[in-house]
Amino acid sequence: ARTNKQRQEIAAKYQQKYGKSLTDDLKSELSGKFEDAIVSMLLVPESHDAVALHDAMSGIGTDEQVLVEILSSRSTKEIEAIKSAYT
């Protein structure tokens, strides 16, 4: 298992070595929920939370459990970072 920081370093080295995005290459090779999970693992935490919040509020109805879980467990600083990532 790798930490998010390690995954970010791997993605950066991949970009340096091959001149293309690891995320884009994985998206072209994977599909479905597995693709979603792998791509999600390559996001920085605030971007991951922003995507999860967006998905929870999109479409018909809202997934209140996701909203509560994310917003109640993050510090003010983390919520500010999520807001920046969301826009």
Side-chain angles (χ1 to χ4, degrees), residues 3 5 10 12 14 23-24 28 34 36 40 44 48-49 54 57-58 64 68 71 74 83 85:
T3 65
K5 183 179 178 183
I10 290 167
Y14 186 92
T23 301
D24 291 343
S28 73
F34 185 66
D36 295 342
S40 178
V44 292
H48 177 272
D49 287 349
H54 179 268
M57 295 181 282
S58 293
E64 288 88 5
V68 170
L71 296 175
R74 304 302 188 264
K83 284 169 47 178

Side-chain angles (χ1 to χ4, degrees), residues 38-57:
I38 297 301
V39 169
S40 178
M41 290 177 67
L42 291 174
L43 295 173
V44 292
E46 56 270 15
S47 293
H48 177 272
D49 287 349
V51 169
L53 289 169
H54 179 268
D55 290 349
M57 295 181 282

Side-chain angles (χ1 to χ4, degrees), residues 9-29:
E9 291 170 2
I10 290 167
K13 296 224 186 240
Y14 186 92
Q15 178 74 38
Q16 287 175 341
K17 185 171 183 175
Y18 299 106
K20 51 189 177 177
S21 165
L22 176 58
T23 301
D24 291 343
D25 279 357
L26 287 170
K27 282 182 176 184
S28 73
E29 296 295 324

Side-chain angles (χ1 to χ4, degrees), residues 59-79:
I60 298 174
T62 356
D63 189 341
E64 288 88 5
Q65 183 178 357
V66 171
L67 300 177
V68 170
E69 181 180 329
I70 291 174
L71 296 175
S72 67
S73 64
R74 304 302 188 264
S75 69
T76 303
K77 183 179 176 182
E78 290 169 324
I79 290 174

